Amino acid sequence: MIAPEIKQQLKPIVGEKWFLDSPSELYAYSYDATPMYQALPDAVIMPASTREVSEILKIANRHKISIIPRGSGTNLAASTIPVQGGIVLNMNRFNRIYEIDTKNLTATVGPGVITADLHQAVEALGLFYPPDPGSMKISTIGGNMSQGAGGMRGLKYGVTKDYIMGLEYVLPSGEILRCGGKNVKDVAGYDMTRLLVGSEGTLAVVTEITLKLLPLPETKRTLVAFFTNLVDAARTVEKIIAAKIIPATVEFMDQGTMKVVDEYAGLGLPLELKSMLLIEQDGPEQLALRDIERIAEIARESGAAKVEAAKTSEEGAKLLTARRAALSALSRMKPTTIMEDATVPRSRLAEMVGEVERIAGKYGLQICTFGHAGDGNLHPTCMTDERNREEIERVEKAFAEIFQASIRLGGTITGEHGVGLAKMNYLHLKVGESGIELMRRIKEAFDPNHIMNPGKIFAAAERRRLVVKR
């Protein structure tokens, strides 16, 4: 609990309107998009300036009150659950695009800017911000940065971390610092920008972000290929890359996902087939068309039962929109939907798809798989019911085996969702005990009082699943 006298110090910083502490107001901040995790904060504060953030952190640090930075709460790693109470620092008032610099091809924004709004703003100027997480119509740039978000265009263009050039951030002590900037080259000291990206609010509060932009591609071409099994689809991806073609997007859906997406979007997919690839290429028109034609040939040579090119850009956009709706469509099937993001090198994709199928059968679970096949990032998604404890135990065992299989194949436990609470039990599989200890020492240097988003990533209980029931 936060003592009344401390609340009286905090309220004037932002004003009564932006300080919430009634139970009804706090409830909305007790959970995020991750199923099965919940805990109430003691207060929610909505600052609008770096100075306000600094003043709040000074008081919180002095009294050792937890700070949980939060954007739209769309993360799938339970990274914004206030497991030790404290203050949820809602950064959504930092929602301005401060500058779009057409000379340096950068944008400087507040962390509360919605990702899709940034896309729209820069594309109006003929520029391009490639990262496109599935939640982009809701998620914020700050949240994308904090979780190391990816998206459908990761294969060709990279992910959020590849576009963050500079940050303004506030340490728990209240000190305001900057790192990086608009320079294309900058190797002055440790790369603090890279360290803060993906740190899930455990080190500092980011208050300004400078992003790299690209010229907007001239055109797009879209193709879908359907297969009688999952493995042929995965091998097709490997062969496309081996042919030295790097599509903008290579998305994968298995039969279960195809069925619910088709029901949702009315696409008329051939649901008797077992899997599909949705492929987009962009760039100069002749190059995009040439690549799509060659990809179609490779798909047929690899066993595709059906290959179709979108006839218009609108048709292609509809297919991509439907793929973005995969999680929403699957979530209608059962009360609880758990989506993970086991990731492997592209060359091991077929093996990983096979492992997910095997593990789902072993535990008698319905696991649909879709994801960013072009960069090896699969989203095995289990439809279940958290009220069925016996089934949830099987789900946990299944995902533990899926993560172990990913590591065995040279992959990782998370490609774009982050660690948070949901995966801290598995972090040691990827980084080892020494790696966890080094991360803890880095956190200690930033946050000696351990107020920044405590209990996340590598908490003392990283081997024990902490499930705070709704």
Side-chain angles (χ1 to χ4, degrees):
M1 297 292 291
I2 302 174
E5 59 270 21
I6 298 175
K7 289 184 179 181
Q8 292 309 311
Q9 295 175 41
L10 291 165
K11 286 181 181 179
I13 297 172
V14 295
E16 292 275 349
K17 178 181 178 181
W18 307 110
F19 185 100
L20 312 179
D21 62 352
S22 71
S24 60
E25 293 171 321
L26 298 179
Y27 182 81
Y29 295 88
S30 67
Y31 59 89
D32 54 28
T34 321
M36 301 196 303
Y37 295 88
Q38 186 172 28
L40 280 170
D42 296 308
V44 175
I45 304 180
M46 304 177 182
S49 71
T50 303
R51 182 197 63 79
E52 289 178 359
V53 171
S54 175
E55 293 303 312
I56 292 164
L57 287 180
K58 287 176 184 177
I59 293 171
N61 198 47
R62 188 180 313 130
H63 297 282
K64 298 183 180 178
I65 299 168
S66 299
I67 293 285
I68 302 90
R70 179 182 172 117
S72 297
T74 59
N75 81 88
L76 293 166
S79 293
T80 55
I81 306 298
V83 289
Q84 296 182 20
I87 297 167
V88 168
L89 203 65
N90 185 324
M91 300 297 289
N92 288 342
R93 292 177 70 198
F94 285 78
N95 59 0
R96 290 176 52 210
I97 298 174
Y98 301 120
E99 179 191 48
I100 298 174
D101 185 341
T102 58
K103 294 180 179 178
N104 288 302
L105 295 185
T106 63
T108 302
V109 305
V113 169
I114 301 296
T115 312
D117 291 347
L118 177 65
H119 286 173
Q120 185 176 7
V122 301
E123 287 173 18
L125 299 175
L127 298 175
F128 185 39
Y129 176 67
D132 61 337
S135 58
M136 66 180 185
K137 291 185 178 179
I138 309 170
S139 65
T140 62
I141 295 295
N144 297 168
M145 180 227 59
S146 179
Q147 299 301 120
M152 291 168 57
R153 295 193 282 245
L155 168 62
K156 184 173 184 177
Y157 290 106
V159 295
T160 300
K161 69 179 180 181
D162 301 308
Y163 290 85
I164 296 181
M165 299 179 67
L167 301 169
E168 177 186 76
Y169 61 101
V170 186
L171 293 176
S173 63
E175 187 176 0
I176 300 167
L177 299 175
R178 285 185 173 271
C179 56
K182 295 183 180 182
N183 294 305
V184 175
K185 297 178 180 179
D186 185 352
V187 292
Y190 294 151
D191 191 341
M192 305 301 289
T193 307
R194 283 280 182 153
L195 177 60
L196 289 168
V197 174
S199 62
E200 301 186 38
T202 61
L203 302 178
V205 177
V206 170
T207 53
E208 185 181 282
I209 305 170
T210 299
L211 302 161
K212 178 174 69 175
L213 304 176
L214 299 176
L216 187 66
E218 179 183 315
T219 190
K220 298 177 183 178
R221 290 288 184 271
T222 307
L223 173 144
V224 285
F226 301 93
F227 300 83
T228 57
N229 59 67
L230 302 179
V231 174
D232 283 349
R235 287 182 177 150
T236 297
V237 177
E238 296 172 13
K239 291 178 181 179
I240 291 169
I241 306 303
K244 299 180 176 61
I245 300 171
I246 307 297
T249 297
V250 182
E251 294 296 298
F252 170 87
M253 288 194 283
D254 69 2
Q255 187 180 44
T257 311
M258 287 166 59
K259 286 179 178 178
V260 294
V261 167
D262 192 64
E263 180 184 344
Y264 174 84
L267 299 174
L269 301 178
L271 300 180
E272 72 280 5
L273 297 176
K274 297 294 184 181
S275 63
M276 67 175 281
L277 292 176
L278 173 60
I279 301 169
E280 183 180 79
Q281 182 60 300
D282 62 10
E285 187 167 2
Q286 288 186 337
L287 177 61
L289 184 59
R290 184 199 71 187
D291 283 352
I292 284 293
E293 289 174 350
R294 178 64 183 125
I295 289 167
E297 290 176 9
I298 292 170
R300 293 187 185 99
E301 292 165 1
S302 302
K306 188 175 183 180
V307 180
E308 297 178 349
K311 297 179 179 62
T312 64
S313 58
E314 290 76 17
E315 185 179 333
K318 183 179 179 181
L319 287 166
L320 288 166
T321 300
R323 159 58 188 88
R324 291 187 191 280
L327 178 59
S328 310
L330 288 168
S331 67
R332 301 186 302 169
M333 298 178 66
K334 286 193 176 182
T336 306
T337 304
I338 301 174
M339 183 176 86
E340 289 295 357
D341 72 323
T343 302
V344 294
R346 285 188 296 260
S347 62
R348 312 302 295 271
L349 186 65
E351 294 171 80
M352 190 65 211
V353 169
E355 282 293 284
V356 173
E357 277 195 304
R358 178 187 66 78
I359 293 166
K362 175 181 176 181
Y363 288 98
L365 298 169
Q366 184 180 14
I367 298 180
C368 292
T369 302
F370 63 95
H372 317 305
D375 51 27
N377 184 196
L378 293 176
H379 293 309
T381 303
C382 185
M383 284 64 68
T384 182
D385 187 340
E386 64 182 278
R387 296 168 296 186
N388 184 339
R389 291 309 307 163
E390 184 276 331
E391 183 170 271
I392 289 297
E393 287 176 7
R394 284 187 280 124
V395 171
E396 291 177 348
K397 289 177 181 178
F399 276 120
E401 287 197 24
I402 286 171
F403 297 140
Q404 288 163 358
S406 178
I407 295 294
R408 188 169 64 251
L409 294 172
T412 182
I413 63 168
T414 176
E416 60 183 5
H417 290 176
V419 176
L421 285 173
K423 290 188 178 177
M424 64 183 184
N425 298 329
Y426 310 112
L427 182 60
H428 66 285
L429 297 176
K430 176 60 180 175
V431 305
E433 296 296 338
S434 296
I436 289 175
E437 180 56 33
L438 177 60
M439 291 180 192
R440 283 192 174 124
R441 295 205 301 269
I442 292 170
K443 178 173 172 61
E444 185 78 23
F446 274 79
D447 180 23
N449 287 330
H450 301 275
I451 69 165
M452 296 303 304
N453 207 6
K456 311 295 167 52
I457 302 180
F458 45 83
E462 72 265 12
R463 301 292 194 298
R464 298 195 304 273
R465 180 169 295 281
L466 174 59
V467 179
V468 187
K469 291 281 294 169
R470 292 191 188 180

